[in-house]
Amino acid sequence: MASGSARVSASSAPKSIWLPILGLSLVYSIIASLAFFLISWLIADLQYALSGALAAGMVIGFFAIGILIAEAAGRIRRSWAMPAFLAVFVVKVFGIAFVLLNLGLPVWVDRQGFVLAAAISLVAWQVGEVRAFMKARLAIYNEE
């Protein structure tokens, strides 16, 4: 065969891209949250660290729920996965805002630790999602 006429084999699509995204995002976010917990416990105190753990748990929980709903919607009909993911995202944003504004945080929560840990966990989660999406693209369009 001539070098220019080599056959390109199609990659097999995974059954779901959502579960690998969930897995990688969880790994990134949990590692970042554990690092924050240990460092803040050593530098500040246990209350600061526990405040961060609460925030990280909320971020991880809300984002994981969104991905699981997208997975479930995608199993029903593939074209429903992304709209379901986006709808759940909007509901989560307003839901978190409603809970925090109306119910508030427990009195023991250190607000600075809570906000800092939430931001760190959120950024780590997003890095995991982007990396997982990049890997999903490579499985479809393998250019190597």
Side-chain angles (χ1 to χ4, degrees), residues 3-4 7 41 62 67 75-76 80 88 94 96-98 104 107 115-116 124 139:
S3 63
R7 295 189 74 133
W41 189 7
F62 278 105
I67 290 179
R75 286 180 186 235
I76 296 169
W80 290 0
V88 168
F94 287 110
I96 290 173
F98 177 80
V107 294
V115 170
L116 186 58

Side-chain angles (χ1 to χ4, degrees), residues 26-40 49 52-53 55-57 59-60 117-118 120-122 124:
L26 276 172
V27 168
Y28 276 61
S29 194
I30 288 172
I31 289 171
S33 300
L34 285 174
F36 177 86
F37 181 84
L38 292 174
I39 292 168
S40 63
V59 168
I60 291 169
I120 289 170
S121 182
L122 174 70

Side-chain angles (χ1 to χ4, degrees), residues 87-101:
V88 168
F89 182 81
V90 170
V91 169
K92 286 186 304 188
V93 168
F94 287 110
I96 290 173
F98 177 80
V99 168
L100 291 178
L101 292 174

Side-chain angles (χ1 to χ4, degrees), residues 121-140:
S121 182
L122 174 70
V123 169
W125 185 278
Q126 294 300 310
V127 169
E129 276 190 349
V130 169
R131 297 231 7 164
F133 270 117
M134 287 171 39
K135 288 180 181 182
R137 182 206 176 274
L138 288 176
I140 298 169

Side-chain angles (χ1 to χ4, degrees), residues 12 15 18 25 31 34 47 52 58 61 78 81 84 96-98 101-102 107 111 124 133 135-136 138 142-143:
S12 60
K15 287 188 176 186
W18 298 103
S25 298
I31 289 171
L34 285 174
Q47 181 179 351
M58 287 179 66
R78 283 185 182 244
I96 290 173
F98 177 80
L101 292 174
N102 290 315
V107 294
R111 293 184 185 281
F133 270 117
K135 288 180 181 182
L138 288 176
N142 192 354
E143 298 167 341

